[in-house]
Amino acid sequence: MSQATVIAVFREDVEKFLREQNVRFISDIGLTGTSGFHHPFDFVIPQSSGNPERYVRAVNNPNRENIVAVIFAWQDIQSKRVPTAKMIAMLNDESRRINPDNIAALDKYGIETITWTNREQKVALLQD
């Protein structure tokens, strides 16, 4: 499969998981950041009485380059969102080991991580 197809398949898997868990979401949202750059987000989970607005990126290949892109996108739009908004990176770890430094980098910017193989244990981050 081409790289674009593999990325689309992982995004579809994430969407299917969200639906199975009855998570309310809006898909394929683009926001313009302070830089003027447009940033796509795979899913936005609206604010509820118990949880803040959450932005979700499905990262099929969580290498350094893709992690930096997630961090930049979040930093670039964060000041334009409500202060309580959160960012979540769904990381595909099924076919490759994720470098712990990449997860640590996300953590330093307050970005929650959910690895695909650990998604059931962290579903509460996504639900109301």
Side-chain angles (χ1 to χ4, degrees), residues 99-112:
N99 183 333
D101 292 342
N102 293 342
I103 292 175
L106 291 167
D107 186 54
K108 286 178 184 174
Y109 284 90
I111 299 171
E112 294 280 352

Side-chain angles (χ1 to χ4, degrees), residues 9-71:
V9 168
F10 181 62
R11 191 202 167 283
E12 289 170 8
D13 288 344
V14 172
E15 183 171 342
K16 181 180 176 192
F17 174 72
L18 294 174
R19 290 188 190 285
E20 289 169 351
Q21 301 301 318
N22 296 314
V23 174
R24 307 176 294 121
F25 65 87
I26 302 164
S27 60
D28 298 320
I29 298 296
L31 298 169
T32 302
T34 303
S35 67
F37 294 154
H38 176 80
H39 300 285
F41 292 87
D42 297 309
F43 310 98
V44 177
I45 303 170
Q47 179 178 349
S48 66
S49 60
N51 284 301
E53 181 176 75
R54 288 150 287 168
Y55 294 83
V56 181
R57 277 257 184 109
V59 184
N60 180 59
N61 181 10
N63 61 19
R64 184 179 188 275
E65 178 182 344
N66 291 334
I67 296 303
V68 168
V70 169
I71 292 168

